[in-house]
C-alpha cells in the first residue's frame, strides 16, 4: 500500500523506537521529565527562543498560543484557509472566546499586507480588540518567502500586535528556501521565526515522530502557556517516551525532508506526462505545481469517482475534496510525500494512473 494521504501516517523507525525505549523518564507536570526538558531546550535553542513547551498535537499548541496571547473578546487575524481558522474545530472561538478575523489568500499562499492592515480594528469599544496576527508556513505546501515573513512581522509590530506562526511544516519551508539559497535549513528556520512572538512546530508530520508538537516563545509566555495546556487537558506525566521520538526527529529528519520534495517533483512531472499522453485525461486533469511535499491535482467531477476508486483498488491512497474550478466543479486530489514514500511508491502511483488512462 502506497499511502499518500498525509505525512501524518509515517511510522517511527527502529532507531527512533530504540531512542524512545531508552529515554529517561520523570513527571512532566512537575517539569521533572529529563527527556521532555531536553527536547524543549533543544528546540528553543534551534529556533532562537527562550523556552518551549511539548504538547500532544499541533492543534493544541496553536490553541495554547492563541489563548496565551489573547484574552476573551480579543481578535486574531487569520487566513481564510489557515489551519487555525478552518481545521481546528473552532477552538479559538469555542474555548478561547477569541474572535477570528479571516483574510483572503493570495495565489502564492500569503495574506496581502494591505489586507492585514485593513483588518486591524480601531481602538473603539464597538469592536473586538485586534490583538494577534497568525501566519501559516507552509500553507497548502506553498512556501511563504523570508522577505514576506519579515515584512508581516514588522507590520504587526508597528501596529502593536503580537504574532504567532503555525509552523506545522516550518522545516519544509526552511529546507526549500535553504536549497535555493545554498544555506543550512536549521539556520533558515531560525531566520523565518525572527520577529515572531511564538511558533508551533509539528514533530509528527514530515519529521516522522508518532506524536507531539512544540510551542516556542519567551520564558514568560511559555510559563503562561503551561497553565493553558493544563486547562486544555494536555499535561502528560512520563512523556519522555514520546519526547525522545521528537528529539530523534529534530536530530535526524530535518535535512532528509529534501528527499520528500524531490519525490513530489518526480510525481508531479510523471502525472503530467501520463495525463498529457491520454486523450481521456488530457484537459480533465490538471496537475498543479508543488513547492515542498504536497501536490494538488484537480480532476473533472464526472471523472473523479472512478479515478479515486481505481487508485484505491491499486493500493494508492490519497485524500480529496470538492472544489469550484475555473470551468466548473472539480475534485481536488492531494498527494503528500513523506519518509515512508520511496521510489517504489512513486512508480506504483504512476503505474496506477497509466493503467487508468488505457
Amino acid at each position: 500500500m502506497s499511502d499518500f494521504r498525509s505525512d501524518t501516517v509515517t511510522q517511527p523507525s527502529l532507531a527512533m523506537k530504540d531512542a524512545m525505549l531508552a529515554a529517561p523518564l520523570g513527571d512532566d507536570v512537575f517539569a521533572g521529565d529529563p527527556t521532555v526538558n531536553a527536547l524543549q531546550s533543544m528546540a528553543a535553542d534551534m529556533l532562537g527562543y527562550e523556552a518551549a513547551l511539548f504538547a500532544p498535537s499541533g492543534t493544541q499548541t496553536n490553541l495554547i498560543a492563541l489563548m496565551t496571547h489573547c484574552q476573551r473578546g480579543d481578535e486574531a487575524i487569520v487566513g481564510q484557509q489557515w489551519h487555525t481558522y478552518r481545521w481546528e474545530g473552532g477552538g479559538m472561538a469555542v474555548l478561547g472566546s477569541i474572535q477570528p478575523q479571516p483574510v483572503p489568500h493570495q495565489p502564492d499562499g500569503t495574506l496581502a499586507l494591505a489586507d492585514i492592515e485593513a483588518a486591524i480594528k480601531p481602538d473603539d469599544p464597538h469592536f473586538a480588540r485586534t490583538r494577534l496576527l497568525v501566519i501559516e508556513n507552509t500553507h497548502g505546501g506553498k512556501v511563504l518567502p523570508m522577505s514576506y515573513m519579515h515584512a508581516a512581522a514588522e507590520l504587526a509590530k508597528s501596529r502593536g500586535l503580537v504574532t504567532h506562526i503555525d509552523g506545522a511544516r516550518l522545516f519544509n519551508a526552511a529546507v526549500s528556501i535553504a536549497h535555493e539559497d545554498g544555506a543550512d535549513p536549521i539556520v533558515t528556520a531560525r531566520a523565518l521565526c525572527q520577529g515572531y512572538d511564538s511558533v508551533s512546530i509539528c514533530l509528527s508530520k514530515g519529521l516522522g515522530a508518532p506524536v507531539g508538537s512544540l510551542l516556542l516563545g519567551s520564558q514568560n509566555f511559555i510559563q503562561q502557556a503551561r497553565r493553558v495546556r493544563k486547562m486544555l487537558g494536555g499535561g502528560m506525566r512520563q512523556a519522555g517516551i514520546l519526547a525522545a521520538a521528537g528529539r530523534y526527529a529534530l536530530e535526524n529528519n530535518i535535512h532528509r525532508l529534501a528527499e520528500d520534495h524531490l519525490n513530489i517533483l518526480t510525481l508531479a512531472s510523471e502525472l503530467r506526462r501520463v495525463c498529457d499522453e491520454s486523450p481521456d485525461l488530457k484537459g480533465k486533469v490538471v496537475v498543479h505545481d508543488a513547492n515542498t511535499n504536497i501536490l494538488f491535482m484537480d480532476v473533472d467531477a464526472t471523472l473523479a469517482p472512478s479515478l479515486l476508486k481505481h487508485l484505491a483498488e491499486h493500493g494508492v491512497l490519497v485524500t480529496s475534496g470538492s472544489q469550484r474550478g475555473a470551468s466548473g466543479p472539480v475534485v481536488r486530489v492531494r498527494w503528500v510525500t513523506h519518509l515512508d514514500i520511496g521510489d517504489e511508491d512513486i512508480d506504483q502511483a504512476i503505474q496506477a494512473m497509466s493503467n487508468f488512462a488505457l
Side-chain angles (χ1 to χ4, degrees):
M1 189 70 68
S2 297
D3 197 340
F4 291 89
R5 289 175 299 170
S6 176
D7 44 11
T8 60
V9 304
T10 58
Q11 297 289 315
S13 65
L14 289 176
M16 182 180 282
K17 289 179 181 178
D18 288 342
M20 295 170 72
L21 289 174
L25 305 178
D27 191 325
D28 182 51
V29 174
F30 292 128
D33 189 300
T35 307
V36 173
N37 293 340
L39 169 64
Q40 291 171 164
S41 295
M42 176 186 182
D45 290 343
M46 182 179 288
L47 294 180
Y49 287 91
E50 292 179 355
L53 184 68
F54 183 54
S57 73
T59 294
Q60 190 171 96
T61 50
N62 279 332
L63 182 56
I64 292 169
L66 288 161
M67 290 178 64
T68 304
H69 284 307
C70 297
Q71 301 299 309
R72 291 170 57 87
D74 284 349
E75 179 179 82
I77 296 175
V78 293
Q80 187 74 48
Q81 299 294 327
W82 271 187
H83 202 275
T84 45
Y85 176 59
R86 189 174 176 87
W87 300 100
E88 295 184 2
M92 74 167 79
V94 175
L95 300 176
S97 296
I98 301 164
Q99 174 172 288
Q101 172 58 67
V103 172
H105 294 273
Q106 301 304 303
D108 63 356
T110 64
L111 309 180
L113 298 180
D115 288 344
I116 293 173
E117 188 151 25
I120 300 172
K121 306 294 188 295
D123 185 8
D124 185 308
H126 291 88
F127 303 114
R129 182 180 67 154
T130 307
R131 170 67 177 161
L132 172 67
L133 171 65
V134 179
I135 295 292
E136 182 176 297
N137 199 3
T138 64
H139 171 62
K142 294 180 179 179
V143 177
L144 278 60
M146 189 76 70
S147 58
Y148 174 81
M149 294 294 290
H150 291 171
E154 289 169 6
L155 169 60
K157 185 177 180 180
S158 73
R159 297 300 303 271
L161 306 185
V162 291
T163 48
H164 173 68
I165 303 173
D166 175 1
R169 296 184 178 90
L170 180 80
F171 286 110
N172 287 96
V175 166
S176 178
I177 294 171
H179 176 74
E180 294 179 0
D181 297 343
D184 179 81
I186 295 175
V187 174
T188 302
R190 186 183 181 110
L192 283 169
C193 297
Q194 186 176 345
Y196 285 83
D197 295 287
S198 63
V199 60
S200 65
I201 58 173
C202 190
L203 302 168
S204 63
K205 291 189 169 71
L207 296 181
V211 177
S213 288
L214 288 160
L215 177 62
L216 297 87
S218 68
Q219 288 282 2
N220 182 64
F221 174 82
I222 294 300
Q223 181 179 356
Q224 298 303 314
R226 183 176 292 273
R227 177 180 291 273
V228 175
R229 185 186 69 173
K230 184 66 175 176
M231 286 193 295
L232 295 175
M236 298 182 286
R237 299 297 180 176
Q238 287 71 38
I241 196 167
L242 301 176
R247 284 196 70 189
Y248 183 91
L250 291 179
E251 289 170 347
N252 296 278
N253 289 346
I254 293 175
H255 291 80
R256 65 142 304 280
L257 291 171
E259 299 173 22
D260 301 337
H261 299 180
L262 288 174
N263 282 338
I264 209 75
L265 292 176
T266 300
L267 178 64
S269 176
E270 287 299 297
L271 287 174
R272 288 192 189 99
R273 178 187 61 78
V274 170
C275 294
D276 287 345
E277 292 176 356
S278 168
D280 294 330
L281 298 183
K282 190 176 179 66
K284 293 186 177 181
V285 179
V286 176
V287 180
H288 295 277
D289 293 333
N291 295 129
T292 52
N293 69 320
I294 299 176
L295 173 68
F296 291 103
M297 182 177 80
D298 288 346
V299 183
D300 184 274
T302 61
L303 180 67
S306 58
L307 173 58
L308 292 171
K309 180 181 178 183
H310 174 85
L311 290 175
E313 289 173 345
H314 287 76
V316 178
L317 299 181
V318 294
T319 57
S320 62
S322 298
Q323 299 275 332
R324 172 62 61 175
S327 57
V330 298
V331 172
R332 177 157 290 180
V333 178
R334 190 178 81 152
W335 306 77
V336 185
T337 52
H338 48 78
L339 59 81
D340 289 339
I341 291 291
D343 293 342
E344 292 183 1
D345 300 288
I346 302 294
D347 292 343
Q348 182 176 358
I350 299 307
Q351 188 60 53
M353 283 291 295
S354 298
N355 291 341
F356 182 81
L358 292 177

